[in-house]
């Protein structure tokens, strides 16, 4: 008789009590009488972490503590189908072997080759029927009910993945979670029934608030009208979806609103709702207003990494004008201007006008000094030799006194030091050999981008220079400076997203920037960190949920007291919550972010508490 097999989740190891595991396995395997006919098939129980709890995206995660058992049906299937060609090949090989003598080594090799061609059996996990799921949960309840007799110690909650086609209500999960007192004794349990329906093409096809309330009251005993309901709505401002189906991390801006006294299904959050913004900045998103800045930072990263590896990825774009000609013209401009105007040059070119910051109506930085403007020219170097030739042009012009450009006082790059030496006529001749040209280029790039980020934050009056001092170290290595620039860029991505999509008040931006500076001051660079910022339901937030469809809308109803509490949760979303519960929807496009409106999916949770003592 096959047994239910317990296997921990491989990627998420959880400490498990061996005695508890043996207890639940024995109970589920044999039941009370040990003669269950249910185990004609294999079943598998996995130990999953809290992050994979079926209710993680449906109810308050604080109510789900620790790990859970998840029971599914285990099937053995072929990994692939044998083609006629592969069968012919095996037969031909056997016929050849029959007409000739082979050594033992040849026979072993042939046997191994033929075994590789045969299909392999693999294990697949499938949902169980609603009948089997209830049976398992009844065993679980009896095993821990003190009134039955030899009640077992409390173990993790048991959840069962259910075939939605096996019930009219389209149940997709059933679960039981135990309640214990301070002494660890089991006093009762909560039972959960999760159903999934949809898609619903329009809001009019969804259940009404009255029908949802009526269904909830029917489960309350003794009957009472003391129902507390709360609403929740989540808006995907950045359009990436609360769950990205591609598995790729993207910049996301989610606004979550919660309030009391829901008046209708899909009700807009009232003005007094509690509002929180969740923002996660992932550099490299092409939809970001700071994408061009990210590309510049990535190019700089390649130069810095090349100093350690000895390999540099150069720009492969073919320029109409050779870079040496561009640098020569650049030097000529300074030759004509430095006598008349020996101050910082106001460099403004087409790249400045079309920059992302300018498109966001943010002041672009025009006070580029000589090395910073040179960096913008050398950024498109196509090779090492071209870089050397351009730097030789610059060094020759400085040594001969043709130009006397100004550099920022804080610019401590070696090329800036050579510029200062040229003022006194004591400039040394650098040996442009080996990795020195790449290091000179990386240094001026670090100095330029460091001042870019600083200028942006201070010009917008979002922070002060003293608050940025930890990110502007002058004695740090190129690698450390690059790590600090990556942190500043993540912060810039967040601010840019808020300005472009939310138009948040200045005070909110200052608060967000302060939180980010403090976090990255104590933590390493992390693209996946999500910041939470409480907001007032002002005009900017109101515009978001009035002009866009809620990605998630939820109604939670609670009745009764502590000992007889009944909870119902109804969640409406634009994406199906459980893949195994999605029905055939024909030509309907699901979760298309480009569509004006998306179909709705309805997921409900019914929770009831039962006390043993």
């Amino acid at each position: 008789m096959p047994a239910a097999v317990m296997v921990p989740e491989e990627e998420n190891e959880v400490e498990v009590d061996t005695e508890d595991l043996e207890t639940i396995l024995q109970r589920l395997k044999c039941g009370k009488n040990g003669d269950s006919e249910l185990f004609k098939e294999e079943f598998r129980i996995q130990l999953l972490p809290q992050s994979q709890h079926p209710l993680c995206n449906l109810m308050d995660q604080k109510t789900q503590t620790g790990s859970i058992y998840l029971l599914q049906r285990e099937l053995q299937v072929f990994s692939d189908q044998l083609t006629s060609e592969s069968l012919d090949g095996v037969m031909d090989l056997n016929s050849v072997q029959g007409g000739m003598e082979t050594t033992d080594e040849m026979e072993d090799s042939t046997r191994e080759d033929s075994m590789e061609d045969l299909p392999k059996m693999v294990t697949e996990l499938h949902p169980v029927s609603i009948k089997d799921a209830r049976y398992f949960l009844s065993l679980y309840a009896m095993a821990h009910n003190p009134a039955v007799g030899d009640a077992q110690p409390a173990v993790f909650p048991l959840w069962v993945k259910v075939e939605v086609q096996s019930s009219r209500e389209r149940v997709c999960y059933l679960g039981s979670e135990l309640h214990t007192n301070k002494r660890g004794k089991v006093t009762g349990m909560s039972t959960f029934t999760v159903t999934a329906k949809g898609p619903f093409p329009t809001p009019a096809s969804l259940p009404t608030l009255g029908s949802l309330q009526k269904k909830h009251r029917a489960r309350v005993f003794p009957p009472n009208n003391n129902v507390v309901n709360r609403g929740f709505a989540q808006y995907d401002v950045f359009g990436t979806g609360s769950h990205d189906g591609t598995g790729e991390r993207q910049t996301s801006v989610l606004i979550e609103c919660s309030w009391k006294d829901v008046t209708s299904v899909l009700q807009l959050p009232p003005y007094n709702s509690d509002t929180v913004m969740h923002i996660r900045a992932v550099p490299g998103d092409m939809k970001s207003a700071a994408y061009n800045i990210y590309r510049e930072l990535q190019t700089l990263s390649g130069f810095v990494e090349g100093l350690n590896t000895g390999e540099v990825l150069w720009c492969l774009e073919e320029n109409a004008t050779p870079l040496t000609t561009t640098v020569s013209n650049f030097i000529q401009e300074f030759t004509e201007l430095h006598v008349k105007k020996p101050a910082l040059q106001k460099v403004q070119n087409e790249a400045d006008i079309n920059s992302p910051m300018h498109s966001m109506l943010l002041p672009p930085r025009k006070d580029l000094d000589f090395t910073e403007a040179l960096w913008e020219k050398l950024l498109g170097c196509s090779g090492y030799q071209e870089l050397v030739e351009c730097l030789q042009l610059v060094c020759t012009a400085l040594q001969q006194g043709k130009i006397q450009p100004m550099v920022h006082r804080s610019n401590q790059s070696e090329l800036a030091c050579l510029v200062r030496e040229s003022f006194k006529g004591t400039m040394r001749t650098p040996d442009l050999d080996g990795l020195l040209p790449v290091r000179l280029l990386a240094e001026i790039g670090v100095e330029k981008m460091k001042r870019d980020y600083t200028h942006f934050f201070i010009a917008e009056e979002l922070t002060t220079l003293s608050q940025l001092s930890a990110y502007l170290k002058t004695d740090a290595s190129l690698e450390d400076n690059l790590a600090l620039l990556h942190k500043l860029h993540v912060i810039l991505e967040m601010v840019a997203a808020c300005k472009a999509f939310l138009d948040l008040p200045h005070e909110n931006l200052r608060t967000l920037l302060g939180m980010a500076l403090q976090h990255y001051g104590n933590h390493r660079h992390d693209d996946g960190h999500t910041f939470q910022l409480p907001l007032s339901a002002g005009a900017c937030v109101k515009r978001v949920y009035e002009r866009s469809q809620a990605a998630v809308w939820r109604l939670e109803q609670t009745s009764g007291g502590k000992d007889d509490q009944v909870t119902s949760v109804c969640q409406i979303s634009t994406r199906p919550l459980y893949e195994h519960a999605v029905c055939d929807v024909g030509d309907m496009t699901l979760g298309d972010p480009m569509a004006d409106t998306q179909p709705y999916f309805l997921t409900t949770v019914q929770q009831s508490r039962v006390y043993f003592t």
Side-chain angles (χ1 to χ4, degrees), residues 15-24 67 69 140-141 143-146 150-158 176-181 183-189 612:
E15 293 185 2
V16 182
D17 192 319
T18 305
E19 181 179 355
D20 289 346
L21 280 177
E22 293 177 352
T23 299
I24 191 170
S67 305
Y69 292 129
Y140 180 83
H144 300 94
N145 189 346
D150 54 340
Q152 303 300 318
V155 295
F156 296 116
L158 176 64
S176 293
E177 302 193 354
L178 300 173
H179 298 295
T180 58
N181 56 22
R183 293 175 294 178
K185 181 181 179 181
V186 177
T187 59
M189 68 168 49
F612 298 141

Side-chain angles (χ1 to χ4, degrees), residues 430-462:
D431 184 11
L432 297 176
D433 192 15
L435 292 176
L436 179 61
V438 180
R439 182 165 61 84
L440 292 177
L441 180 61
E443 286 180 354
I444 63 176
V446 166
E447 290 293 335
K448 189 262 183 183
M449 297 207 71
K450 189 186 299 185
R451 185 170 289 274
D452 281 346
Y453 293 120
T454 305
H455 171 82
F456 172 78
F457 294 131
I458 294 180
E460 289 296 303
E461 298 182 351
L462 298 175

